[in-house]
Amino acid sequence: MTHIAPQPGIMDIALYQGGAAHVKGMSNVTKLSSNENPLGPSPKAIEAMQAAVAQMHRYPSSDHASLRGAIGDVYGLPAEQIICGAGSDEIIAFLCQAYAGPGDEVLFTEHGFAMYRISALAAGATPVEVRERERVTDVDALIEGCTDRTRLVFIANPNNPTGTMISTAELARLADGIPKQAILVLDGAYAEYVEGYDAGASLVASRDNVVMTRTFSKIYGLGGARVGWGYAPKPIIDVLNRIRGPFNLSSTALAAAEAAVRDTAYTEHCRKENATWRSWLAEALAELGIPSDTSCANFILARFASAQEAESCDAYLQSRGLIVRRVAGYKLPAALRMTVGDEASCRALAAAVKDFKDTHS
């Protein structure tokens, strides 16, 4: 194999580590490691997917017109400026493939989503990590980190795994402050959890250098279906569609996503339930001496006194059948990311953390 080598950057990619789903020796566990919707998808989405199964011998839509139209209707966006992908991950990969390559730089924040680095390296570009300020995106640091080689600037707002976010005014300042050859990508995977937040759609509409990505994997409960979308200026959408595979989404996934996005009442129900139990869980942890930043997403970043305490608590929770997410790989070794589950899960998690603190104090 000495003469057969991958493109530069590929072997620098550390494999993405998803949230654990199993505990050895246990069959009944509560998974709170992947920020999934504990209420599941809309019943209408399940019905739509089941109905679509009968037509699985047919190729799916290649232009996703029906789903793009539904997204446009619900969010008030022009359907011709929407692109759909296999999760927002694929839209991120399209952007790096289309706009970054050898000699180019891709910026993201120090606690940013792992796929920004992975997609940059896969395209042969240089990933550049920029510091945050107390786990919050620092606009000035991002602007200062740009060079004439910068092609893409990724930020998640709200951010994963911190749960923090910055204002639309700060996003606008960032869009106006990056170099002319660069694109600002606003990852809105958790945007639906923020009441009245448009995830930067207004910035896309008013500028030619901003792209918004979204997903059906979080509040819509379709992580297993793999559907995401992006909203961008028409010239960028035209570029991305040239590299998008014609049948990158299955007919069952398309049907489920369209039904899910149109069921706005169910989405609102999920948003309210998450807000209720997110506040409850944050307060319960705070009473145990475990602080967290105000989360704008569907998880809490619980901060412990040390990496050792975080690891010990994680092990203890696993012994109780509760799986959360270690985030040392995101440069947060003394923290655990805990998905906001349903009432029973949140109460069980808080009780287990209390028992851990009582036995390890």
Side-chain angles (χ1 to χ4, degrees), residues 24-360:
K24 189 175 182 180
M26 287 190 180
S27 58
N28 185 22
V29 298
T30 300
K31 184 186 177 190
L32 302 170
S33 58
S34 296
N35 302 339
E36 296 154 333
N37 184 342
L39 305 180
S42 159
K44 294 179 180 178
I46 295 173
E47 290 176 16
M49 178 174 273
Q50 290 172 333
V53 167
Q55 295 297 316
M56 284 180 63
H57 58 298
R58 305 295 186 192
Y59 276 102
S61 162
S62 61
D63 64 6
H64 311 145
S66 188
L67 176 56
R68 290 188 296 106
I71 293 169
D73 288 346
V74 171
Y75 288 102
L77 303 174
E80 66 273 13
Q81 288 180 238
I82 294 171
I83 184 173
C84 299
S88 53
D89 298 3
E90 189 174 40
I91 309 300
I92 291 167
F94 288 160
L95 286 161
C96 288
Q97 184 181 351
Y99 290 102
D104 297 326
E105 295 177 345
V106 175
L107 268 64
F108 48 86
T109 65
E110 65 179 308
H111 305 308
F113 184 37
M115 289 308 300
Y116 308 149
R117 174 184 293 275
I118 290 172
S119 296
L121 289 169
T126 301
V128 177
E129 186 180 286
V130 176
R131 64 175 171 79
E132 294 180 14
R133 182 179 297 161
E134 295 294 311
R135 299 168 303 281
V136 178
T137 295
D138 187 332
V139 169
D140 290 322
L142 281 166
I143 293 173
E144 291 169 8
C146 289
T147 70
D148 57 4
R149 298 170 60 192
T150 303
R151 298 301 304 275
L152 292 162
V153 177
F154 285 99
I155 73 162
N157 202 49
N159 190 37
N160 170 29
T162 62
T164 60
M165 68 181 293
I166 60 175
S167 68
T168 301
E170 281 290 273
L171 295 177
R173 190 164 71 85
L174 178 58
D176 294 340
I178 62 175
K180 290 183 178 180
Q181 81 280 356
I183 297 171
L184 173 62
V185 183
L186 304 177
D187 181 346
Y190 299 93
E192 290 86 359
Y193 290 105
V194 184
E195 190 76 37
Y197 174 49
D198 75 352
S202 58
L203 297 180
V204 178
S206 62
R207 290 164 173 77
D208 61 5
N209 69 336
V210 181
V211 173
M212 175 183 75
T213 65
R214 304 286 281 272
T215 185
F216 281 87
S217 297
K218 305 305 178 186
I219 203 167
Y220 291 113
L222 293 176
R226 309 310 304 130
V227 187
W229 58 282
Y231 169 54
K234 193 65 172 63
I236 293 178
I237 291 294
D238 179 60
V239 169
L240 300 183
N241 273 324
R242 292 171 187 272
I243 58 175
R244 178 183 63 82
F247 305 111
N248 60 323
L249 287 178
S250 71
S251 53
T252 51
L254 287 166
E258 181 177 347
V261 75
R262 289 197 183 278
D263 193 353
T264 55
Y266 186 79
T267 305
E268 183 61 23
H269 169 65
C270 292
R271 181 186 297 114
K272 289 181 177 178
E273 282 294 298
N274 177 77
T276 295
W277 291 103
R278 180 179 61 197
S279 297
W280 185 91
L281 183 58
E283 290 173 11
L285 293 172
E287 289 174 2
L288 298 173
I290 301 172
S292 61
D293 298 312
T294 298
S295 174
C296 299
N298 68 333
F299 57 84
I300 289 169
L301 184 69
R303 303 201 310 277
F304 292 80
S306 66
Q308 181 179 6
E309 185 185 29
E311 291 174 7
S312 296
C313 184
D314 180 47
Y316 183 82
L317 292 175
Q318 287 189 43
S319 75
R320 297 273 290 262
L322 296 161
I323 307 174
V324 296
R325 181 74 178 266
R326 292 190 188 183
V327 284
Y330 283 95
K331 296 180 172 59
L332 294 161
L336 296 175
R337 193 190 69 189
M338 302 175 174
T339 302
V340 177
D342 57 14
E343 177 178 357
S345 300
C346 288
R347 291 190 183 278
L349 181 59
V353 174
K354 183 180 186 304
D355 290 346
F356 167 76
K357 294 289 282 188
D358 288 345
T359 56
H360 291 74

